[in-house]
Amino acid sequence: MKKVTTASLLKMKQNGEKITMLTAYDASFAKLFDEQGVDVILVGDSLGMVLKGDDDTLSVTVSDIAYHTTAVNKGTNRTMLIADMPFMSYATKEQTFANAAKLMAAGANMVKLEGGDWLLESISALVERGIPVCGHLGLTPQSVNIFGGFKVQGREQEQADKIIADALHLQQAGVQLLVLECVPTDLAGMIADKLTIPVIGIGAGNKTDGQVLVMHDMFGISANYMPKFSKNYLIEGGDMRKAVELYINEVKSGVFPSEKHSFN
Ligand code: KIV
């Protein structure tokens, strides 16, 4: 099977085919997801919460992500692999270069950074040097202490306008994929329509170009709680392979996320 690339993701958006994405942190799950046909795997800094049991993602290090990226890379064949840049690993341009290079060397095909306008220079510089970038807007968990909790973003017009402007600027700076987390469905749909790059939602309704879930939420085994926007596919699927197959079918057909899993 042909490897999923930035070019194939773009084609999927242009053809109206929804993109499926899941987090993974080890070779075994990565292999299972790859074999079932998941398009993109994210080694997310969510590992701080679902693997380490923390209340947030802030303690995750570049070494943590590199370690798990190496493992996930061994399990993937077709699936595209994105590695999260953890909290404070891209605070300066120099740190951004050095840390992104480490994650690419560990096997990532793209790195993901949380934030808007303040990142534009770093993003262009990474892209100019051959490192593809995924943006992340809306509820950016590394800023949980600024937000005062894990809260839906973009409900106020001013905030929504800022997210739209940031999304356009990130695209201009060169990001080839954008994750929108916990924003109202119509705002996410409007952004997906405005951008030419694919927009992947999590808690962002069903009008984006694809969906991502944290694998532990999708299997209903997260240590602390089940977010409103997630769904336990293991209950319906009965086993892990079927659960992933069901997730893919529901994302591709637009059944997931339903109203129940979205914010308005
Ligand atoms: O860290 C992560 O798993 C993420 C997803 C929730 C998009 O950033």
Side-chain angles (χ1 to χ4, degrees):
M1 232 183 238
K2 251 178 98 184
K3 172 97 180 161
V4 178
T5 63
T6 50
S8 40
L9 293 181
L10 186 60
K11 196 153 236 163
M12 287 171 79
K13 171 165 179 138
Q14 289 162 351
N15 293 339
E17 185 190 342
K18 298 270 186 183
I19 296 162
T20 55
M21 180 162 154
L22 281 175
T23 67
Y25 315 95
D26 67 41
S28 303
F29 276 111
K31 185 162 183 291
L32 192 153
F33 297 166
D34 187 284
E35 286 170 356
Q36 292 308 113
V38 171
D39 299 311
V40 184
I41 290 178
L42 169 68
V43 179
D45 61 358
S46 49
L47 72 84
M49 299 170 85
V50 297
L51 300 191
K52 294 166 78 177
D54 289 345
D55 291 333
D56 56 42
T57 60
L58 305 189
S59 74
V60 176
T61 63
V62 174
S63 304
D64 291 337
I65 299 283
Y67 172 88
H68 289 280
T69 299
T70 304
V72 167
N73 186 37
K74 289 183 187 159
T76 58
N77 184 18
R78 168 190 170 271
T79 309
M80 182 169 151
L81 173 50
I82 303 179
D84 243 345
M85 296 202 60
F87 181 58
M88 292 306 282
S89 69
Y90 48 100
T92 66
K93 221 153 114 182
E94 289 65 33
Q95 284 175 325
T96 312
F97 289 158
N99 292 325
K102 270 185 207 158
L103 299 181
M104 294 300 280
N109 306 125
M110 180 180 255
V111 294
K112 178 164 80 61
L113 284 72
E114 297 182 7
D117 275 353
W118 69 275
L119 280 175
L120 299 180
E121 244 187 78
S122 293
I123 290 169
S124 322
L126 284 176
V127 173
E128 279 161 6
R129 285 157 182 78
I131 299 185
V133 178
C134 174
H136 187 156
L137 294 172
L139 169 54
T140 44
Q142 290 170 18
S143 303
V144 62
N145 292 310
I146 300 284
F147 295 142
F150 294 99
K151 294 180 177 160
V152 178
Q153 300 296 307
R155 281 192 158 137
E156 314 295 327
Q157 192 58 48
E158 199 180 323
Q159 219 179 38
D161 290 343
K162 169 85 174 107
I163 297 172
I164 295 168
D166 279 346
L168 287 164
H169 295 157
L170 289 181
Q171 174 173 271
Q172 258 163 21
V175 303
Q176 288 173 290
L177 196 65
L178 176 68
V179 168
L180 274 184
E181 180 164 352
C182 287
V183 298
T185 302
D186 287 343
L187 173 61
M190 188 192 300
I191 293 171
D193 285 347
K194 277 183 188 285
L195 298 193
T196 53
I197 57 164
V199 175
I200 309 294
I202 173 164
N206 63 1
K207 296 181 180 170
T208 52
D209 305 305
Q211 298 294 327
V212 56
L213 283 181
V214 171
M215 58 162 278
H216 290 64
D217 294 342
M218 198 268 293
F219 288 134
I221 53 168
S222 288
N224 296 328
Y225 87 116
M226 178 68 140
K228 165 188 159 72
F229 55 76
S230 193
K231 177 168 170 181
N232 182 342
Y233 281 97
L234 195 52
I235 286 191
E236 253 179 79
D239 71 52
M240 286 183 176
R241 281 186 191 277
K242 292 222 181 74
V244 176
E245 195 181 309
L246 204 55
Y247 168 67
I248 293 173
N249 288 343
E250 289 202 353
V251 171
K252 296 270 180 201
S253 62
V255 169
F256 178 81
S258 66
E259 286 264 322
K260 185 171 104 176
H261 303 109
S262 309
F263 303 102
N264 289 305

